[in-house]
Amino acid sequence: MSLSASCGSVSQKRTVSSLLAGRVVKRPKQGDGQQLHEAAIQLLEQQQNLCSLLKEVGNPNLSNIFCSETGGQKPQASEGIPPTIAGSLLVSELRCQATQLGVPLTALSVKMVLERLTEITGTEEEDRRRELLTSSQRVQLCVLLESSRELLSQGALCPKLLWQEYRRGQKLPQLEVVYQLHFYNILTLKHILESDEDVRLWLVSQLKALSCWMPPLGEKEAQQVQLKVLSTVLGVLVGTGFQLSHDPAVADRRISLLCCSVLDDMLFWFLDKVGESLTLPCAGAGPELWCQLFDASLCGASASPEALQHFFTHSLTQTLTYKPRLTVSDAIARQNEWTFAKSSRLLTSLFRKLAVIFSVEQLLRHLQQVLETHEVNWKHILCFLSTLLIYNPSAESSLRELLSRLLSSAFEGYDLENVITAFLLARQGTLEGPGIFPSYSDWFKMSFGGGSSCHATSKKSLVFLLKFLSDLVPFEPSQYLKVHIMHPPYVPVKHRSLLMEYVSLAKTRLADLKESVEDMGLYEDVCGAGGATCQAVQDVEKAVSLFESTGRISATVMEASIFRRPYFLTRFLPALLTPRVLPVKADARMSFIEALKKADKIPAAQYSSYVESCQRQTQQDRSEVCVDTRDDPLEVLNVQLQEFRKLLVDANEGEMSAQLSRISHTLSVIFPVGPDELTGQTVIKLHIEKPLSVELHIKVVNTILRNFCQYVLDASQANPPNKQNLWASKFVSFLLGNTQLLCSLINRLWHLFNNQGSSLGAAHLLGLAAFVVHLHSSMSHSPLVQLVPPILPTPVPIIEALSSALVCNAHDNMLFCVRLCVAAVCYGICRGDSLPQQQQDYIPSSLYKKLLYLIPRLLPEARRTPADGPLGEYKEENSLGLWSSVTHSNSTWRKTAWCLWRHPAFCQLQHTPQYQLFFTEWLSNELGVQRSEDALSDPERQEYQQWACLELYLCRPEDEGGCGGDMRSLCSYLLSAIMDQQLSEQKLEKLHDRVSEKGSCLPDILSRLQELVYEMEVSTPDMCDFLFELVCQRCSSTVSSASLSISSELSLQYTLSTWNRVLLALPAVLFIKVKTEGGRTTLDCNNLIQHVNQHQRKVCSPAGVLSRHITSHFLRGVLCASVRCCGRSGEVNKAWSQISLHCPLLLISTVHWWDSLSPVVLSLWRRLSDGEPLPEQLQLLSDCQHWACSLKKGQLSQVPSAPPLLLAASLYRVWRGHREDEQSFSAALKMLRPEKDMKHRQVLVFLLFLCVNDYLSALLSPQEKSRQRASSFCKEVLDVLTDSADWLLIFKSNEQGVYQSVTMVTSDEFTRLMPWAFYSLLLQQSAELLHRAVRCAGFLHTAVLCYINLLQLFLEGHTPPPITPKPPDDQIVSRTKQFLLKVISQSPPTALSSSQLRQLESQCADLDPEVAAALSVHLDPRSLSPEMDFL
């Protein structure tokens, strides 16, 4: 048998197994084994082929070499020869052949194995394109290697000789063959590397080829083998190349370097592919598969943990320093392109793999070391930092510490490299958004904004910083320059010039970038978008807002149109004149544009273009959004959101942060923002009357909210909120980084809550509740919201703005509100269960308060306070049970609300001030309910309100929002709430057309007030004092200054009109105080008189007359209160006498309404007095009426013994009521000759006052007939009174004497207008009447005083509006002056006393020197001389 013929065909011969089976005719005995063995060997020696023998010694039916690994059944023993016997057979045959041929046994074994190996791997062309063996080849190879291992174990095979003979033909095997040799421990990969230097190049190419090879579809076994081969080879390379040795030999050092070289080549190939992926659609499957191999599972037999750490550290260093072609200036200019979302996924995956076994501190320390000792690839450095921040929430604080160390070290040794490093690292962190790292402005202010900053220690340090910033200017992006200008570093005053040099340089650079200092806006930037366009938009909104509140173009805008004209023309006006669909009624923006146009601040061509564009927009009537992207951003967003859904339960926080970063990048394409927020906390405007109009924005916002709701459901099915990871907080935090997106989200949520709440399902409700909770928990770094129109006066947190959309005015709205708030508070309690100290961060106080209001209102069983309820039994209820009640499909909101109401955490929050519902807040909510659409019926509402007032808030301590057991305090709250109701309803009507005064619960609250007042009347003797003191305080708070502005007057009128509504609803007797002194009970009307004189007279309409209802109420109060006195009639007389003397307004009003009041008064008195005659003072009112009527008829009867003012009021009332008979009025006046009786004169003076008052009322409310009639009455009275000086006293505010009471009749405005009325009437009189008036004693003094006061009225703008074109009001002063100068020239020197003359000259000197000179020339005795007679 020869070696050459040993592999011939023996197909015609029987196999060893069949021969053995044929010879065995009976079962051999156990002692015949040795004999059988020798017989078999002898038979084989006679005729057998070695190649065929090698095929047969193994199991001929090995269909799966991995059966033992996969748990398959082992072949039965009868199907093959045992390995030991087969090995012995082979060795015996080989030894025999080797002896015959005279060659070494090992040489023959190697030749036989190589021939068989060649036969197995020598395949067709199709198989050569495969990087792995086929399944059948793999089976045959494993059989061969199994036999070879037996040969090796018996010393018949030399591995070294095997490799030498294999390489002799200059062939290199497939990588899988080497792997199998290594796997069967025949020829290890380490030995191959040590023995053959050429293997290095072959190994690298094989690794690349196998990594890039894609197994045919469906060959799972090939995929497993591919991964196994690559991971095994990588493990051997890592273990061999990075295993630390205390005394490494030269050979070990060489092989270690060889392995490192192979791994570096693969890493550089990977990084090159990553670089190509930026320009090509994808990098291919090879790099991605290679990246997957970097795993901690490499630790094992091949690589120790120390070797793996050394390898990862080395690979990280190599990556960070690979191709360091980018300079620092490149990094500064292009840094915003290297954020996590914009970086290659392969690169970030590699960084994540390499960083997984290290702590954040170790990684940052290594990063610092690499930066200090190597030339680095800045793109990889910054991308690595972003990846670290995204995947490690704790990295922020560690980075802050590193930056602090770098800056401290830099300023200690003036090390420029450390400063550059700190700035680049800090900016990279800020580029990832506020959810990852603070904004750049915050970091810059924190690092350099204080006197204790590292640069503030010396001038040298300051110069070092400013020199560094100046050197950066040519490469800086504009947003950083703006931060440095808006938030400059701290600089002592003496070195201010150094900072100004930098600021000037930065502004110049901004101008070069076409974002000059002009682009920084007119007002402080609150946009946070970092762009000039956004800043201009914010400036426009601010300017329009100021214009709306003041009615004038702000000075800032006017100055900008002159001194900052480039910005005004190129930025401000284009932002203002953005085409839109113009509203039918001009809004503030349109009015502002028109005002600018009238001021010639808008070029005509630009304005015409704007108008045409608006018209086209109206025709088109739809908005479009252009997004510059190759893919539909909405589709990309949907895919990314679905991928994020897969990460909710199982993925770690780093993977979620990475996906959120990608989502944020996609959203930034749809809602463009700048790379940095220029200010800390922004203020966004929410136009609640304008839903989102851009279709793409609506779709995106709906997609985000819908997916978030789905996320909540998915996460809740797996775990309760307190067991979930921080996915929701991170999701919301990323949304907060985009101001435009956040504004759209809030707008959508507001309109959902306010208009579509009842249409939302349970799943949507739960998801939106969780979303709101996380918005609240992110409040510290979220912007404030200013509602437009401003139903809330100041900017508020987001949750407060959304809470204002949850109105509780109707049944449907209440149900939605309670469902949403229950879900939100339950979620917050469960979410904060794992962090009890921070539980308040997850429970919005505004939503909690709504539950405190709604649950007792809708659930009567909850009206027991939790302390009185079954709280002790309920303490075992945990948060899991609470959450189950929310998510269970069979649970109702009532069950959940009841469960929540008794929960210990919910009850505990009521002891926290910010979560307490004050009585004022409860009243505001209750008064906003529409009675017709209330969830409660009228009896149920009455029961609930009585419980809330008397059981809940009356006994609650004041510091917890209650009344502290004080009924007066309870009434005070009710009264204030009722008076505030109209204003609050006006605000709500602007927001909700369905809210109206008619349907509010005001009548119910008034009923509660009446009930309490009746109860207090019995126990509180000073109820009258309490009520008047309360309204006095209310009016005093409304009017803060002595001189009322128009707004203050209107506010006071509103307050008093509201008070009068309340006053009429309360018992009249409460407003008259009953005193008991010395056993005698009397009436005290001082409070009533003071109230009328101080407040009611200011709001009378018409002036000088209380309304009939108020007058009747006060009069009935006097009568009813007299019942408590012994002498009823006498007390009424005393009280009315006091009123007649000190409260002329009530007296005149009673006379004015007496015709309608007298039947009511008489009927009431009869009921109260059991038929006693009417008190004398009240009877006197009727007598005065009869006297006035008789005088009108020309019958001069006995004048009643009544005050002159009462007689004048009666007389005026009679003639005023009979307008057709004015001649009788003149005749009656002539019967009351003032020279006959002083009382008649006083009656006529008071009558003149009433006529003048009526004349002023006619002037202020122009009606031609009433004005002429009032003027005619005044003329008739003046005609009778002209010769008497008393009539002048009503025009002198300081010298009225017995007529002083007239000042308490009308408002202060009318009193100020009396000088105007004086001249307005006189200038209409005849020359004869004027001549008589001028001769009247004291006329000149009165005329000059009235002229002075008239001038002051005109200067202050208090004159009435013009009534008739002839004479116009602006000519009254000149006509008055001519008249006065004429009077002065005709008056004798004795017309004024010396003191009067000096006083008038002093007052006229500044207002009208000409009148002062006339007084001096004509009336001063010292100036009268013959030389001056010509005057």
Side-chain angles (χ1 to χ4, degrees), residues 961-1018:
C963 302
D966 186 2
M967 290 285 286
R968 292 163 58 98
S969 177
L970 184 62
C971 288
S972 177
Y973 281 126
L974 289 172
L975 191 57
S976 297
I978 292 170
M979 294 180 67
D980 288 337
Q981 173 63 7
Q982 284 186 347
L983 181 59
S984 64
E985 284 179 348
Q986 288 177 0
K987 289 182 178 179
L988 287 173
E989 284 175 4
K990 296 178 182 178
L991 182 59
H992 313 290
D993 294 336
R994 54 185 179 273
V995 176
S996 62
E997 179 183 350
K998 182 178 179 180
S1000 72
C1001 282
L1002 180 62
D1004 300 87
I1005 300 301
L1006 271 175
S1007 298
R1008 306 293 82 76
L1009 179 62
Q1010 291 170 340
E1011 294 167 358
L1012 293 173
V1013 164
Y1014 277 118
E1015 183 176 345
M1016 289 180 63
E1017 186 180 3
V1018 178

Side-chain angles (χ1 to χ4, degrees), residues 1017 1020-1025 1027-1028 1063 1067-1075 1081-1089 1092 1110-1125 1131-1132 1135-1136 1138-1139 1146:
E1017 186 180 3
T1020 307
D1022 56 346
M1023 193 63 186
C1024 175
D1025 296 339
L1027 290 174
F1028 282 122
L1063 181 149
V1069 70
L1070 294 179
F1071 300 99
I1072 306 299
K1073 187 176 182 179
V1074 179
K1075 297 192 302 183
T1081 305
T1082 59
L1083 300 181
D1084 183 2
C1085 298
N1086 288 330
N1087 288 334
L1088 174 64
I1089 293 171
V1092 174
I1110 296 295
T1111 306
S1112 173
H1113 204 66
F1114 288 152
L1115 190 56
R1116 284 187 287 110
V1118 173
L1119 297 180
C1120 293
S1122 67
V1123 177
R1124 302 181 183 178
C1125 305
E1131 289 302 323
V1132 172
W1136 195 252
Q1138 185 184 11
I1139 291 172
L1146 183 56

Side-chain angles (χ1 to χ4, degrees), residues 1138-1202:
Q1138 185 184 11
I1139 291 172
S1140 301
L1141 184 61
H1142 300 291
C1143 191
L1145 176 58
L1146 183 56
L1147 175 66
I1148 293 174
S1149 301
T1150 305
V1151 174
H1152 182 82
W1153 303 110
W1154 186 247
D1155 288 345
S1156 58
L1157 289 181
S1158 57
V1160 178
V1161 171
L1162 183 60
S1163 174
L1164 177 62
W1165 179 252
R1166 288 174 179 172
R1167 293 199 310 271
L1168 296 176
S1169 62
D1170 296 332
E1172 292 184 14
L1174 201 63
E1176 295 177 2
Q1177 290 295 324
L1178 298 183
Q1179 183 60 45
L1180 191 59
L1181 294 172
S1182 298
D1183 295 342
C1184 290
Q1185 291 279 358
H1186 294 314
W1187 170 79
C1189 290
S1190 63
L1191 192 63
K1192 174 180 175 296
K1193 296 176 182 178
Q1195 304 171 2
L1196 185 59
S1197 58
Q1198 178 69 30
V1199 179
S1201 179

Side-chain angles (χ1 to χ4, degrees), residues 381-405:
I381 288 283
L382 298 176
C383 181
F384 169 69
L385 181 64
S386 290
T387 306
L388 191 61
L389 289 170
I390 290 292
Y391 282 99
N392 296 274
S394 62
E396 177 193 350
S397 58
S398 300
L399 178 58
R400 285 172 181 262
E401 295 175 4
L402 174 60
L403 295 175
S404 179
R405 291 197 304 270

Side-chain angles (χ1 to χ4, degrees), residues 360-361 364-365 367-368 371 381-382 384-386 388-390 392-407 421-432 436-438 443 446-447:
V360 173
E361 291 74 16
L364 290 178
R365 196 158 45 242
L367 177 64
Q368 183 180 3
L371 287 167
I381 288 283
L382 298 176
F384 169 69
L385 181 64
S386 290
L388 191 61
L389 289 170
I390 290 292
N392 296 274
S394 62
E396 177 193 350
S397 58
S398 300
L399 178 58
R400 285 172 181 262
E401 295 175 4
L402 174 60
L403 295 175
S404 179
R405 291 197 304 270
L406 287 172
L407 289 177
T421 301
F423 269 77
L424 284 174
L425 297 184
R427 290 179 179 184
Q428 190 67 20
T430 62
L431 288 175
E432 296 304 331
I436 301 298
F437 196 79
W443 176 81
M446 179 182 65
S447 301

Side-chain angles (χ1 to χ4, degrees), residues 850-917:
K850 288 189 180 292
L851 291 182
L852 291 182
Y853 170 70
L854 288 173
I855 291 180
R857 200 176 199 280
L858 302 178
L859 298 179
E861 59 269 24
R863 292 175 192 171
R864 291 183 300 169
T865 58
D868 299 331
L871 182 59
E873 305 172 4
Y874 191 74
K875 284 183 179 179
E876 296 181 359
E877 184 76 28
N878 55 19
S879 298
L880 184 59
L882 179 63
W883 186 242
S884 299
S885 68
V886 178
T887 57
H888 198 280
S889 58
N890 294 330
S891 181
T892 64
W893 74 264
R894 290 181 175 272
K895 293 180 181 178
T896 306
W898 179 235
C899 181
L900 174 65
W901 185 257
R902 298 177 299 158
H903 195 278
F906 185 89
C907 301
Q908 188 65 30
L909 281 176
Q910 296 190 52
H911 302 291
T912 306
Q914 69 189 71
Y915 289 92
Q916 292 169 350
L917 182 69

